[in-house]
Amino acid sequence: MSGNWLHNIKHVTPGEPVQADVVGRPDRALTDRTDYLKDRLDAAELGQAIFDYAVTVAPDVLPGQPVFWNYTTHRYEKALAAVEVSPVTQALVVLPSSDCVGICLQKRSETLGDIVLRGIVNIPELANAIAAPIAPGRYYLSAVEPGKLVQQKPAVTVSVCHVQGPKDNCSDVPRVVVMPHIRDFVDEHTHYRFDLVARPAGTHVPPSVGGAHTITSPNPNLPGWLPSNHSIFNGKAPAGAVFGYNLSQHTALANVWPPMPIQSVAMLWDKGVDHVGSTEIPLGRDGLAICNIHGIWWMSSCYGDVPWPKTFDTAAAPIEYVSPVDECPRDEVMRVAVVYLRMLIGNDRSVVTSLVPDTDSPITVVNCDGMPASTGDLALNLNIPVDPAEALGGQAFKDIINGRRLKKGWIAEGAFTTSNQITITGTRGTPRNLTTAEKEEFGISAVTVVPLQQGILKIDYTDQLVEREMSPQIIRLSDTVERLYMDIPYLGFPAGQASLLRVRFNVADNNLGDNLTMKIRVRYFGKGGTVSTAATLPALYMTYRRLPAPALTGTALPTTDTSLTFNSVVALPIDTVVSRDSASFSVDAGDTVLVTLGRYDDPADVYAEVGVLRITGIVSSAT
């Protein structure tokens, strides 16, 4: 691209010599402005490149060099592919200088420049970034020197541009396709190194020379190594394995295990003896260790051939010896390290590498055999424990909305009664009592004990009206008179003659209960006059005839009455009312009962007239 835009055109002034450089000065300035405008218009029209014009750059940035944006200093600086080890995850993380965003096209001043971010441009000063000769091809960000480009693909890979060479034979300016690859290159693979705990997770007593190492009283809550047949490994130990590493107590390693691919893992063993340094452990079934998706396994228990010092004694509880810095030779301790990488396809940003339930989670993670597991083919089980404390209230989950949301609502939690006529029985067993708040809501006294029946409920109703009164129908009067006395109507049995009253009672067909009985209740009085002293009322007699409810095939009519005990003799002053019941007799629903009440023609009966105010039938049920 042409140079900067010239705001002023210096024309020829009086007194200047007439020569080519003076006379042509305005023309050259206009030519530069025209070329500048053409380049800008071409770039805008054809979309050949994207620029960041007149921006702050570091003084040491030269045209042609790759740059990154330093958000701390707020300027473009030389880019460098660099990583560092995270102190938290022990994984490689990208430094900001690796995020190359473009190439410096030109410098306007020491701290101002134009940056090409994307597109096709001619870069005359590309030699500031690429050592001569500049060959066509792809170029990567240098991991050695800031602001440099290399054609050999480095281990830390950040692609920046593609050099096409001069546009034609008439030019020697390199034509460059700028296309920085700002994706985190560490996504392609993440490197890990972990120092394993070189101790048995249990009791260990050094064996005799030539003997075998064993771990007694293994404790899965300790870091280190366990017998391979321990239950924590769920039977996943490979054949021939003697010990297994307790990943559950090495959280940082467990969170990123297994390696992807598993073949990328390597193990280093520094026994700390004779200062020979670390050696790589042979892996595989014929080696000393096996690393697979289920863990890290040690294949030998031979004397001195285990991943902890052969003289380590748990009972002695030795303290690691650290040599003073000025002591020679320096003492070393045993170290076992595992080193591996995880490719993008197995990276924890794209796939699940380990699945474990959270603390107090009702979800359990198991393998295909139903055993607890965190890797491999997994199944999720939901096991919500039931709290022994009973929940109060009538709300419950009643529906699932769109398969994701639970909808709750009210249901009947139970039923109770405060009436003696209603009895409620539930299948819950011993019912709970209403709380004080619940009784207050229904206006029940706080001291009243009210059981709440729950489960399948049976509701019984007990009719407290144990007696049902039936009105009579008068069907016959024999020498019985209808009178009005003191404006009170009554049926009178006159003195000195026989008389009777015959009535009919219709027993209802239903809703009376079982084992029915009936009695006749009579209210009567001795008619007054001039006698006001007490006298004995005469004996009255009573009979009944029961006409049963007919069967479908018919029922024969009874032809005779049955005498019914009725104690009517009572010493009673005149104009005084008394009530007497007859003896009870059996009836059935639907019966018709005829009752006769009469007065004998007895010469000894000298009582005045007897008046009947009321006669009713009383039906009772034994249940």
Side-chain angles (χ1 to χ4, degrees), residues 146-167:
K148 297 296 184 179
L149 298 173
V150 294
Q151 196 168 23
Q152 178 65 42
K153 185 176 181 179
V156 178
T157 306
V158 179
S159 176
V160 176
C161 63
H162 189 276
V163 177
Q164 295 182 339
K167 183 177 181 180

Side-chain angles (χ1 to χ4, degrees), residues 472-480 491 493 499-505 541-547 558-562 592-599 612 615:
Q473 295 177 344
I474 298 176
I475 59 175
R476 178 184 175 192
L477 296 175
S478 177
D479 293 329
T480 302
L491 297 177
F493 293 144
S499 58
L500 63 85
L501 167 67
R502 193 167 180 82
V503 297
R504 177 173 61 211
F505 296 101
Y541 68 88
M542 185 179 292
T543 63
Y544 78 94
R545 184 183 303 185
R546 176 179 163 225
L547 308 180
T559 59
T560 60
D561 284 6
T562 301
T592 300
V593 180
L594 304 177
V595 176
T596 299
L597 175 65
R599 185 176 183 179
V612 177
I615 180 170

Side-chain angles (χ1 to χ4, degrees), residues 497-582:
Q497 67 180 52
S499 58
L500 63 85
L501 167 67
R502 193 167 180 82
V503 297
R504 177 173 61 211
F505 296 101
N506 297 321
V507 181
D509 290 326
N510 48 43
N511 294 329
L512 295 178
D514 301 324
N515 301 323
L516 300 178
T517 60
M518 187 175 184
K519 61 184 177 182
I520 307 302
R521 179 169 294 162
V522 182
R523 292 182 182 176
Y524 56 99
F525 70 99
K527 184 179 179 182
T530 59
V531 180
S532 60
T533 58
T536 300
L537 268 68
L540 303 179
Y541 68 88
M542 185 179 292
T543 63
Y544 78 94
R545 184 183 303 185
R546 176 179 163 225
L547 308 180
L552 292 177
T553 57
T555 300
L557 289 172
T559 59
T560 60
D561 284 6
T562 301
S563 178
L564 187 60
T565 301
F566 179 67
N567 186 11
S568 62
V569 179
V570 60
L572 188 71
I574 60 175
D575 295 342
T576 303
V577 180
V578 69
S579 178
R580 286 289 183 268
D581 290 347
S582 72

